Amino acid sequence: MGRISVFLVTAVGLLAAPAWVANAQSSLASGIPAYLGFDRNAYPGNANLKSLHETFSYAGYWLNNPPGERENTWAGHRAAVESSGFGFLVLFNGRLYAELKSVAYAKKVGNSDAQAAAAAARREGFPARTIIFLDQEQGGRMLPEQKAYIYAWVDAVTAAGFRAGIYCSGIPAKDDGNVVTAEDIHQSAAGRRIVYWAINDACPPAPGCTFPVHPPTSTQSGVGFAEVWQFAQSPQRKDVAARCSGYSRDGDCFPPGIPAAQKLHVDVNTANSADPSHGRSR
């Protein structure tokens, strides 16, 4: 209950099948495991965790205020999420370019934000070496101030005993020479070990707002080194995901098993682990 089965299709039927069917078959053929997860800014409530776990293996978990929010409603709920069977995508909301006044200032802020992320992770009970993903909302080529901030954050999170990840765009930026943010960060990381969570909700390669039992693999995002792929966002981005199906009339992506009246929209991810941040305590 709450899961969408993968269709069995003939060679002829496959030509007209949705992209996610071919992706799912490809992931099965490759032998690479893939697991569905969700993330959202607002905590879904303890009462919904059991139903959500029928579809999802892990949940995004914010350590500070999500983008555009004045509070973090996830704080204090780690034990409830884990006891419901979920793994984690641990998130820290990073800075926008406008907040970074110079390279020197960006390094300072990156270091202090990393200390705040590590302190929040400890306070929430996440074990050492949990991967904390820095939420990098802006796409295209990263400017010197942005790279200074990102790498200072990565270095300080690592020094604090955690592992560093980054959530960033996996879509070529048409207004910036088709630069892919994930590749731009990866290429200038100077040997730093960073786990990448790529967002690419364009169809194809994204399967749209779907919940296949056998999800596509993260490498099918177009970023070959990504370990997590966000393939559906709420609300649907009309400029990117207009060709995608499965979204509601209001543009949100609603998971199965939750009453429609709740309007509990989610972003949907696939990863090569049921606990991508390795944040479970047992």
Side-chain angles (χ1 to χ4, degrees):
M1 181 178 178
R3 291 181 180 269
I4 297 178
S5 299
V6 176
F7 295 115
L8 296 177
V9 294
T10 64
V12 174
L14 182 60
L15 295 177
W20 70 265
V21 175
N23 283 345
Q25 290 189 332
S26 177
S27 66
L28 284 171
S30 70
I32 300 172
Y35 303 86
L36 279 185
F38 78 94
D39 68 278
R40 65 192 316 271
N41 284 2
Y43 185 64
N46 291 350
N48 288 319
L49 293 178
K50 181 179 179 181
S51 293
L52 287 168
H53 189 52
E54 292 179 4
T55 301
F56 302 109
S57 297
Y58 52 90
Y61 194 99
W62 288 97
L63 295 177
N64 62 343
N65 294 354
E69 304 294 335
R70 296 184 177 181
E71 63 177 332
N72 177 19
T73 56
W74 287 86
H77 293 290
R78 193 199 69 79
V81 175
E82 180 170 343
S83 65
S84 296
F86 288 97
F88 294 95
L89 280 171
V90 182
L91 275 160
F92 184 86
N93 185 20
R95 306 284 180 139
L96 299 176
Y97 173 72
E99 300 174 79
L100 307 174
K101 301 175 182 178
S102 68
V103 168
Y105 181 74
K107 289 180 179 179
K108 181 179 178 180
V109 175
N111 181 72
S112 63
D113 279 0
Q115 299 301 325
R122 294 190 192 99
R123 187 167 58 248
E124 291 294 318
F126 286 105
R129 295 190 59 75
T130 294
I131 299 169
I132 305 174
F133 288 90
L134 177 66
D135 181 26
Q136 171 58 53
E137 289 285 318
Q138 293 171 308
R141 191 184 310 276
M142 295 289 96
L143 298 173
E145 295 86 351
Q146 291 171 301
K147 287 185 177 179
Y149 172 79
I150 290 168
Y151 298 135
W153 188 92
V154 166
D155 292 343
V157 161
T158 303
F162 293 94
R163 295 174 61 195
I166 187 161
Y167 166 91
C168 58
S169 177
I171 301 174
K174 294 180 180 179
D175 58 350
D176 195 8
N178 285 325
V179 169
V180 175
T181 306
E183 294 176 354
D184 183 47
I185 295 170
H186 182 66
Q187 289 168 2
S188 55
R192 293 176 174 88
R193 299 188 68 177
I194 303 173
V195 179
Y196 290 84
W197 174 2
I199 160 64
N200 187 348
D201 52 340
C203 299
C209 176
T210 58
F211 309 93
V213 173
H214 301 291
T217 65
S218 56
T219 57
Q220 291 173 283
S221 64
V223 178
F225 49 84
E227 295 189 26
V228 188
W229 172 21
Q230 185 183 85
F231 60 75
Q233 283 193 349
S234 291
Q236 181 182 20
R237 299 196 296 172
K238 297 298 185 181
D239 58 330
V240 175
R243 297 177 61 187
C244 299
S245 61
Y247 289 88
S248 66
R249 287 187 176 182
D250 60 7
D252 284 324
C253 184
F254 296 117
I258 303 294
Q262 289 197 35
K263 297 289 185 180
L264 198 154
H265 55 75
V266 295
D267 299 340
V268 190
N269 305 273
T270 183
N272 58 12
S273 169
D275 183 22
S277 275
H278 304 282
R280 294 182 60 86
S281 59
R282 59 185 183 277

